[in-house]
């Protein structure tokens, strides 16, 4: 299997894995996807991150040939999604948002039927199904009915099923929605393993910040059908200036310290909170910490505690849209960083 993936990878390198140009999808008067252009590199794990209704699924459905674009164009592994939709379908794996495995069949049968659907010979199907079921940790449950599986097991089974024809580009729509934390981590581990061991290109939609941040090489933040920012997690954070924060507790007179810190080029602001803590907003906080320590010392004060908080993707989203990613109750205490641990909520269950 890895040789096939390697060949596919070389081919993708020549063609580009996904290239979308000004894709638009309208439903009547409503524009769900509003001029999306993007390029996903071969072997990349690419994330589409955005709130409910952002247009992630609609975009994915167009790229996977399930929905015709209103205008614009896209190539997947070099094939045009409209004119060469059959070829696109041959080279992609699709794991949709809703669970679709057949509850009345065993895990093995679910995977095998897909292989048959793709015209794979029985021997090839058997070999691949065995390998894939082992990879997703379901070998021992392969002969049990899927009706007896947990949600996490079904999701892993569906990932195995989506790989039976050795696709070159895998699309996953909200792969961990509704899963418990342990199952989510198992899916994350699986995706990491797939990327590192097979070089598969993966496009993933999610509205979980932590999922996008921990898994994705690059992320497109989608809102209202548009890409509002695109980059690696670090690049996205760097787009928001002055958002890293250093909290400093010092002993001695802090007036001179504040004056010196304010004179530093990458420090945007220094304030004193009601408890006497100094709050420094700056770029590239990790690099600033030693400079801050030097300035405190040279001002004749002494640090009793120092804490660095990096901007989160949630903060990036807020800066770009003026809204939170999800409709959550306001955070208490004016917390600067996201308290969303990415746990599925009942409203996620679709
Ligand atoms: N077939 C359709 N007809 C009309 N409107 C649609 C259709 N499909 C999607 N929409 C609308 O397009 C918008 C984008 O929907 P989409 O499902 O792509 O969002 P999403 O980002 O995947 O959201 P979620 O996080 O809830 O899955 C929504 O407002 C949705 O109601
Ligand atoms: Mg969706």
């Amino acid at each position: 299997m890895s040789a096939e993936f390697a060949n596919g990878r070389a081919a993708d390198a020549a063609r580009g894995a996904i290239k979308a140009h000004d894709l638009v999808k309208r439903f009547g008067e409503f524009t769900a996807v509003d001029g999306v252009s993007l390029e996903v590199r071969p072997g990349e794990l690419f994330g589409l991150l955005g709130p409910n209704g952002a247009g992630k699924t609609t975009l994915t459905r167009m790229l996977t040939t399930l929905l015709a674009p209103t205008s614009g164009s896209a190539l997947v592994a070099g094939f045009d999604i409209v004119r060469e939709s059959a070829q696109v379908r041959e080279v992609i794996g699709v794991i949709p948002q809703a669970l679709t495995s057949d509850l009345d069949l065993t895990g093995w049968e679910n995977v095998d039927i897909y292989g048959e659907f793709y015209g794979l010979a029985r021997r090839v199907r058997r070999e691949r199904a065995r390998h894939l079921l082992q990879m997703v940790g379901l070998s021992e449950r392969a002969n049990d009915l899927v009706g007896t599986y947990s949600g996490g097991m079904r999701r892993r089974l569906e990932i195995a099923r989506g790989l039976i024809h050795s696709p070159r580009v895998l699309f996953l729509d909200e792969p961990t929605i509704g899963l418990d934390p342990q199952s989510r981590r198992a899916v994350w581990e699986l995706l990491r393993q797939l990327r590192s061991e097979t070089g598969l290109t993966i496009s993933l939609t999610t509205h979980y910040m932590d999922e996008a941040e921990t898994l994705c090489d690059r992320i497109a933040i989608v809102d209202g059908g548009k890409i509002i920012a695109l980059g690696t997690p670090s690049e996205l954070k760097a787009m928001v200036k002055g958002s890293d924060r250093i909290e400093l507790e010092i002993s001695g007179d802090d007036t001179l310290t504040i004056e010196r810190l304010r004179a530093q080029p990458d420090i945007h602001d220094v304030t004193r909170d009601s408890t006497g803590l100094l709050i420094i907003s700056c770029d590239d906080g990790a690099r600033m910490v030693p400079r801050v320590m030097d300035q405190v010392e040279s001002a004749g004060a002494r640090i009793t505690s120092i804490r660095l908080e990096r901007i989160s993707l949630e903060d990036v989203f807020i800066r770009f849209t003026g809204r939170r990613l999800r409709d959550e109750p306001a955070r208490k205490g004016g917390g600067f960083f996201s308290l969303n641990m990415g746990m599925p909520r009942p409203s996620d269950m679709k």
Side-chain angles (χ1 to χ4, degrees):
M1 174 163 316
S2 45
E4 286 170 50
F5 274 121
N7 290 339
R9 198 175 186 183
D12 287 347
R15 295 179 179 136
I18 303 175
K19 283 184 185 171
H21 179 69
D22 205 12
L23 272 182
V24 172
K25 182 67 196 181
R26 287 198 197 93
F27 296 110
E29 295 286 289
F30 179 74
T31 305
V33 173
D34 194 2
V36 165
S37 298
L38 58 82
E39 190 162 339
V40 178
R41 300 169 194 142
E44 193 169 30
L45 205 167
F46 189 86
L48 293 167
L49 172 71
N52 291 137
K56 307 180 296 294
T57 296
T58 306
L59 176 59
T60 302
R61 285 172 61 82
M62 287 193 281
L63 292 174
T64 55
T65 78
L66 297 172
L67 200 61
T70 306
S71 63
S73 60
L75 301 179
V76 174
F79 298 114
D80 186 287
I81 56 167
V82 177
R83 285 182 286 106
E84 298 171 302
S85 56
Q87 288 96 318
V88 171
R89 279 183 217 136
E90 293 272 307
V91 296
I92 60 172
V94 183
I95 323 280
Q97 191 162 340
L99 292 170
T100 53
S101 45
D102 193 328
L103 297 170
D104 298 325
L105 298 178
T106 66
W108 175 275
E109 287 164 345
N110 265 282
V111 177
D112 189 59
I113 280 182
Y114 245 58
E116 203 174 341
F117 171 73
Y118 279 102
L120 300 177
R122 178 191 279 259
R123 193 181 46 79
V124 176
R125 294 200 311 264
R126 186 161 295 171
E127 193 183 311
R128 285 195 191 157
R130 188 175 299 122
H131 171 80
L132 289 167
L133 286 165
Q134 187 186 1
M135 183 185 76
V136 301
L138 287 173
S139 296
E140 280 166 22
R141 297 292 304 272
N143 294 319
D144 294 346
L145 291 180
V146 170
T148 68
Y149 283 18
S150 69
M153 290 167 73
R154 274 187 85 187
R155 185 56 85 185
R156 284 187 277 131
L157 176 71
E158 294 184 12
I159 293 174
R161 187 182 65 175
L163 293 169
I164 188 72
H165 57 301
S166 305
R168 302 226 291 277
V169 185
L170 183 67
F171 291 87
L172 298 115
D173 197 356
E174 304 276 0
T176 65
I177 207 154
L179 298 188
D180 61 90
Q182 200 186 341
S183 301
R184 297 184 75 209
R185 287 216 178 83
V187 170
W188 289 357
E189 222 19 77
L190 184 56
L191 295 178
R192 282 203 195 99
Q193 189 191 340
L194 269 176
R195 185 189 43 172
S196 64
E197 291 178 11
T198 66
L200 187 66
T201 305
I202 301 177
S203 165
L204 165 134
T205 84
T206 184
H207 60 270
Y208 297 129
M209 294 285 176
D210 58 343
E211 183 156 296
E213 181 151 14
T214 159
L215 284 181
C216 299
D217 299 311
R218 288 189 308 146
I219 298 167
I221 298 183
V222 187
D223 190 37
K226 290 184 195 302
I227 291 180
I228 55 170
L230 195 157
T232 63
S234 300
E235 284 167 354
L236 289 170
K237 291 173 183 182
M239 287 176 195
V240 180
K241 292 287 169 209
S243 295
D244 281 2
R245 162 166 146 152
I246 299 169
E247 289 180 1
L248 196 63
E249 201 178 320
I250 62 174
S251 64
D253 178 15
D254 60 15
T255 317
L256 183 59
T257 305
I258 292 176
E259 203 175 289
R260 296 222 163 151
L261 288 173
R262 282 194 176 140
Q264 294 296 308
D266 293 326
I267 289 183
H268 294 257
D269 197 14
V270 185
T271 54
R272 198 188 281 116
D273 80 359
S274 57
T275 65
L277 212 59
L278 300 188
I279 313 289
I280 302 166
S281 17
C282 57
D283 299 331
D284 199 357
R287 197 172 53 83
M288 286 307 294
V289 167
R291 272 165 65 187
V292 167
M293 293 168 87
D294 286 349
Q295 293 307 313
V296 174
E297 202 168 296
S298 76
R302 203 170 57 81
I303 294 178
T304 49
S305 91
I306 186 162
R307 196 161 81 95
L308 167 65
E309 287 191 338
R310 291 218 65 198
I311 185 174
S312 71
L313 282 182
E314 177 89 29
D315 297 307
V316 175
F317 185 82
I318 294 170
R319 297 299 169 102
F320 276 107
T321 66
R323 288 180 291 109
R324 297 179 57 77
L325 182 70
R326 317 202 49 196
D327 294 330
E328 289 170 81
R331 284 169 286 173
K332 290 201 177 108
F336 187 72
F337 286 85
S338 171
L339 297 179
N340 175 16
M341 303 306 285
M343 302 297 287
R345 282 148 212 280
S347 60
D348 292 332
M349 317 287 181
K350 289 192 178 170

